[in-house]
C-alpha cells in the first residue's frame, strides 16, 4: 500500500558489438525468487488473521478466492504498466485515461491512509494492551488516545527527515511477522498434537463459509485490502533478465507464500479461540495468550506483544511520508494542491500535508470512543480504507485495457497474456468488493445500519471523490510550483 518507486535503467547507450567498457554501469539484475520474496515482504502480515479466523477452515477459501481474482490480476497488470510507463499510478492512469483521473488515482492512494492509520493503530493499541492490561483492548477511549498520541509522534519523527526508520520495515517483517507467525503455527500444531480439540470445526463440511445472505461473505472484502500493495513491485520487472518468463514465476511463488503467511496463522488462531470470543483488533494476542497459558509460559505474551508493536510502528513510520510525498510531487508539477500544502520544512519534508492528514486522522480516531464495540469500529474503518483504495485499482485495470488499444506499439518489458480477461476479472472483482463493502457484516449486526452506511459511504464519497474534485475545480495556475511553471496543457 506504498507509493511506487521508479526503477532507473542504467544500461549504457547501445553501440556496435564490442568488448564491455571498463567501469560502465550495468543493470543490477535480480532473480525471480528474490522478487517473489520482496513482494511477499510488502504484502503479507498478521494483522488481518483474526478477521478470517472467525471462519475457521473456510478461511482458506476466503483467502484463495481474492488471490485468484484480485491479487494475480493486480500483479500482472502492474508489471505491464510499470515496464512501459515508470513512475506509479499517476502516469499509468494519466496516459491511459486522463490527467484528472490520474490525479484521482494518486489522491486515493494518499486518502486511504487517513482511514488506514486509525485501523492500524487500533491494532497496535490492542496489542500493547496485552503488555500493560488486557482489559484495555476493548476500551474505546484507550484505543482513541493511543491512536492520537502515536500518530502525532510519528508526524514529529517523520518531519525530521529521519532516515533510520527506513530500515525498520525489513526488520519488522522478521520480528513482527515471520517469527511470531511461525511460533503461532507451531504452537497450534503442538496444541492439536496433544489431543486438544480445535475451537473451530476442521472437517470437510466447513471448507466453505455458511451462506446466510450477502452479509455472511462481507468479511472477504477485508482481504482485498490485505492484498493491496501488490502493484508496487511491478516496477522491478525491468530488473529481471527474462521478464516475460520470470515475472509470472515470481508472482505465483509470491502468491503461494503470501497465502501461507495469511492462512496458517488464521487457522492457528481458530484452533484456540472460539469465534464468539475473538476480537478483530486483539485476536492475534488472544491466541498467543491462550497458547502460552496452555503451555504455562504466559509471560511470553508480553514479549510477543512488544515485538508486534515495534514492527507495526516501524511500518507506520516508513509509510507515513510515502503517499503524501507522491501526492506532493504530482501536485507541484500540475498545481493540484494550494501552495500552503506544497510547502516543505527545512528537512525537505511535506509537513503541512502530514499535519492536515493528521487532523482528519484524529477526528476519525475519536470515533473509537463513540462506537461502543471496538471490533465494529475497526472493521468499519478497514472497509472505508478498502473502498477508497479500490478506486485506484478500478482506474488501473481500465487504463491497461485502454493503453493496449491506443498505444499497442509502445515498448513494454512485459505484456499480460489475455489482458482483457485478466484486467476484466480484476475490474469486476474490485467493483464487486466495493459493492459488498456497503453490506454490514452479520457479526456486527447490533449497531444501526444507517450508522455503518453513513460512515462507509460518507468516507468514500468525501475522501475519495468530493475532496479531489474540489481541488481540480478550484485549482489556480499559480499553484504550479515555480520550477514547473509552463503553459498548462488542457486536460
Amino acid at each position: 500500500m506504498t507509493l511506487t518507486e521508479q526503477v532507473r535503467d542504467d544500461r549504457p547507450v547501445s553501440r556496435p558489438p564490442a568488448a564491455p567498457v571498463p567501469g560502465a554501469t550495468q543493470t543490477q539484475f535480480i532473480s525471480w525468487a528474490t522478487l517473489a520474496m520482496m513482494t511477499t515482504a510488502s504484502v503479507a502480515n498478521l494483522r488481518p488473521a483474526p478477521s478470517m479466523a472467525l471462519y475457521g477452515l473456510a478461511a482458506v477459501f476466503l483467502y484463495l478466492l481474492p488471490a485468484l481474482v484480485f491479487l494475480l490480476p493486480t500483479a500482472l497488470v502492474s508489471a505491464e504498466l510499470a515496464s512501459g510507463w515508470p513512475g506509479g499510478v499517476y502516469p499509468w492512469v494519466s496516459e491511459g485515461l486522463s490527467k484528472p483521473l490520474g490525479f484521482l488515482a494518486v489522491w486515493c492512494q494518499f486518502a486511504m491512509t487517513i482511514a488506514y492509520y486509525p485501523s492500524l493503530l487500533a491494532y497496535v493499541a490492542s496489542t500493547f494492551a496485552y503488555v500493560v492490561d488486557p482489559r484495555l483492548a476493548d476500551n474505546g477511549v484507550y484505543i482513541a488516545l493511543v491512536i492520537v498520541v502515536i500518530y502525532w509522534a510519528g508526524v514529529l519523527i517523520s518531519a525530521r527527515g529521519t532516515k533510520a526508520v527506513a530500515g525498520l520495515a525489513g526488520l519488522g517483517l522478521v520480528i513482527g511477522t515471520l517469527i511470531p507467525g511461525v511460533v503461532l503455527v507451531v504452537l497450534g500444531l503442538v496444541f492439536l498434537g496433544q489431543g486438544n480439540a480445535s475451537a473451530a470445526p476442521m472437517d470437510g463440511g466447513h471448507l466453505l463459509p455458511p451462506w446466510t445472505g450477502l452479509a455472511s461473505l462481507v468479511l472477504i472484502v477485508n482481504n482485498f485490502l490485505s492484498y493491496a500493495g501488490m502493484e508496487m513491485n511491478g516496477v522491478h520487472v525491468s530488473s529481471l533478465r527474462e521478464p516475460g518468463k520470470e515475472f509470472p514465476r515470481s508472482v505465483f511463488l509470491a502468491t503461494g507464500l503470501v497465502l501461507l503467511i495469511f492462512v496458517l496463522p488464521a487457522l492457528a488462531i481458530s484452533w484456540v479461540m472460539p469465534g464468539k470470543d475473538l476480537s478483530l483488533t486483539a485476536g492475534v494476542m488472544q491466541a498467543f495468550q491462550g497458547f502460552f497459558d496452555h503451555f504455562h509460559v504466559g509471560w511470553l505474551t508480553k514479549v510477543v506483544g512488544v515485538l508486534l508493536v515495534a514492527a507495526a510502528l516501524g511500518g507506520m513510520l516508513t509509510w507515513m511520508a510515502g503517499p503524501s510525498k507522491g501526492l506532493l510531487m504530482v501536485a507541484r508539477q500540475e498545481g493540484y494542491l494550494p501552495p500552503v500544502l506544497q510547502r516543505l520544512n527545512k528537512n525537505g519534508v511535506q509537513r503541512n500535508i502530514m499535519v492536515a492528514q493528521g487532523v482528519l486522522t484524529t477526528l476519525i480516531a475519536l470515533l473509537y470512543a463513540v462506537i461502543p464495540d471496538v471490533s465494529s469500529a475497526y472493521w468499519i474503518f478497514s472497509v472505508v480504507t478498502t473502498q477508497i483504495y479500490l478506486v485506484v485499482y478500478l482506474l488501473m485495470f481500465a487504463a491497461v485495457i485502454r493503453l493496449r488499444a491506443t498505444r499497442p506499439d509502445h515498448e513494454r518489458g512485459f505484456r499480460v497474456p489475455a489482458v482483457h480477461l485478466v484486467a476484466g476479472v480484476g475490474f469486476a472483482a474490485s467493483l464487486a468488493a466495493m459493492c459488498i463493502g456497503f453490506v454490514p457484516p452479520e457479526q456486527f449486526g447490533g449497531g444501526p445500519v444507517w450508522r455503518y452506511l453513513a460512515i462507509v459511504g460518507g468516507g468514500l464519497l468525501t475522501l475519495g471523490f468530493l475532496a479531489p474534485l474540489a481541488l481540480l475545480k478550484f485549482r489556480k495556475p499559480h499553484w504550479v510550483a515555480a520550477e514547473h511553471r509552463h503553459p498548462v496543457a488542457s486536460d
Side-chain angles (χ1 to χ4, degrees):
M1 264 179 321
T2 55
L3 189 70
T4 312
E5 298 179 315
Q6 178 175 344
V7 175
R8 188 181 56 175
D9 187 355
D10 289 330
R11 286 173 289 192
V13 177
S14 296
R15 297 182 182 281
V21 179
T25 304
Q26 301 290 330
T27 300
Q28 298 297 311
F29 289 110
I30 60 175
S31 69
W32 64 270
T34 299
L35 181 56
M37 295 301 174
M38 292 169 60
T39 302
T40 303
S42 68
V43 175
N45 61 80
L46 298 181
R47 194 166 67 91
S51 64
M52 288 301 106
L54 289 169
Y55 282 99
L57 192 59
V60 177
F61 169 80
L62 293 175
Y63 271 122
L64 184 61
L65 180 61
L68 293 176
V69 301
F70 178 75
L71 179 64
L72 284 175
T74 297
L76 294 171
V77 166
S78 62
E80 173 166 332
L81 292 171
S83 66
W85 294 269
V89 295
Y90 180 74
W92 300 350
V93 178
S94 295
E95 293 285 342
L97 302 175
S98 68
K99 282 190 174 183
L101 289 177
F103 173 65
L104 176 62
V106 78
W107 169 268
C108 285
Q109 248 188 355
F110 160 76
M112 58 80 67
T113 64
I114 296 173
Y116 173 71
Y117 285 126
S119 62
L120 170 65
L121 294 178
Y123 162 78
V124 171
S126 295
T127 301
F128 187 68
Y130 277 78
V131 179
V132 182
D133 182 355
R135 291 174 297 180
L136 292 173
D138 292 318
N139 187 307
V141 175
Y142 159 78
I143 299 292
L145 182 62
V146 171
I147 292 173
V148 172
V149 170
I150 293 181
Y151 180 84
W152 285 106
V155 170
L156 292 176
I157 294 172
S158 298
R160 295 170 61 89
T162 306
K163 295 181 180 179
V165 297
L168 292 176
L171 183 63
L173 172 69
V174 177
I175 70 171
T177 299
L178 296 183
I179 293 177
V182 170
V183 170
L184 192 62
V185 173
V186 170
L187 289 175
L189 293 173
V190 173
F191 176 80
L192 295 180
Q194 291 180 336
N196 296 292
S198 169
M202 289 289 132
D203 56 86
H206 292 83
L207 285 172
L208 297 177
W211 176 254
T212 58
L214 276 179
S216 63
L217 289 180
V218 168
L219 282 176
I220 197 172
V221 174
N222 206 34
N223 287 346
F224 281 74
L225 178 61
S226 299
Y227 291 135
M230 192 73 168
E231 77 281 1
M232 65 179 288
N233 286 297
V235 299
H236 299 300
V237 68
S238 60
S239 296
L240 297 172
R241 293 185 182 276
E242 297 182 81
K245 295 180 180 179
E246 294 182 337
F247 190 79
R249 294 178 193 168
S250 172
V251 167
F252 285 114
L253 176 58
T255 300
L257 293 174
V258 167
L259 284 172
L260 287 176
I261 293 175
F262 279 147
V263 170
L264 294 182
L267 290 178
I269 292 174
S270 72
W271 295 336
V272 71
M273 285 303 304
K276 62 183 178 63
D277 300 327
L278 190 62
S279 164
L280 295 193
T281 54
V284 174
M285 292 305 297
Q286 286 179 324
F288 275 114
Q289 182 80 67
F291 283 133
F292 288 148
D293 286 346
H294 176 78
F295 292 108
H296 308 293
V297 286
W299 59 272
L300 282 175
T301 303
K302 297 184 184 296
V303 176
V304 171
V306 171
L307 293 179
L308 293 174
V309 167
L313 292 180
M316 184 200 77
L317 288 174
T318 54
W319 290 359
M320 185 161 279
S324 58
K325 184 175 182 179
L327 176 65
L328 175 74
M329 292 170 60
V330 172
R332 291 178 67 85
Q333 293 172 10
E334 304 290 343
Y336 288 132
L337 293 180
V340 66
L341 293 178
Q342 297 184 28
R343 292 176 188 165
L344 306 175
N345 66 7
K346 63 181 180 180
N347 297 310
V349 176
Q350 59 283 3
R351 182 181 58 190
N352 288 6
I353 291 182
M354 293 169 63
V355 169
Q357 177 185 15
V359 172
L360 294 174
T361 299
T362 299
L363 293 175
I364 293 174
L366 293 177
L367 290 175
Y368 274 93
V370 177
I371 299 177
D373 186 354
V374 170
S375 286
S376 293
Y378 173 84
W379 170 254
I380 289 172
F381 296 134
S382 294
V383 171
V384 172
T385 303
T386 305
Q387 300 289 70
I388 295 173
Y389 208 32
L390 283 172
V391 175
V392 179
Y393 291 106
L394 290 172
L395 293 171
M396 188 178 81
F397 289 128
V400 74
I401 292 177
R402 180 103 192 285
L403 284 168
R404 275 291 188 95
T406 60
R407 308 282 292 279
D409 299 325
H410 184 85
E411 184 178 354
R412 300 160 170 83
F414 173 79
R415 287 178 179 265
V416 180
V419 66
H420 288 81
L421 174 63
V422 172
V425 168
F427 187 94
S430 300
L431 187 60
M434 182 176 285
C435 294
I436 293 173
F438 288 104
V439 181
E442 60 181 4
Q443 286 81 0
F444 310 108
V449 174
W450 68 263
R451 181 188 297 169
Y452 181 90
L453 294 177
I455 296 176
V456 173
L460 174 62
L461 182 63
T462 304
L463 294 177
F465 292 103
L466 294 182
L469 287 175
L471 291 169
L472 285 171
K473 180 175 178 60
F474 296 108
R475 67 171 173 157
K476 310 296 182 184
H478 69 271
W479 288 9
V480 177
E483 65 269 24
H484 297 292
R485 283 181 187 167
H486 302 290
V488 179
S490 173
D491 292 330

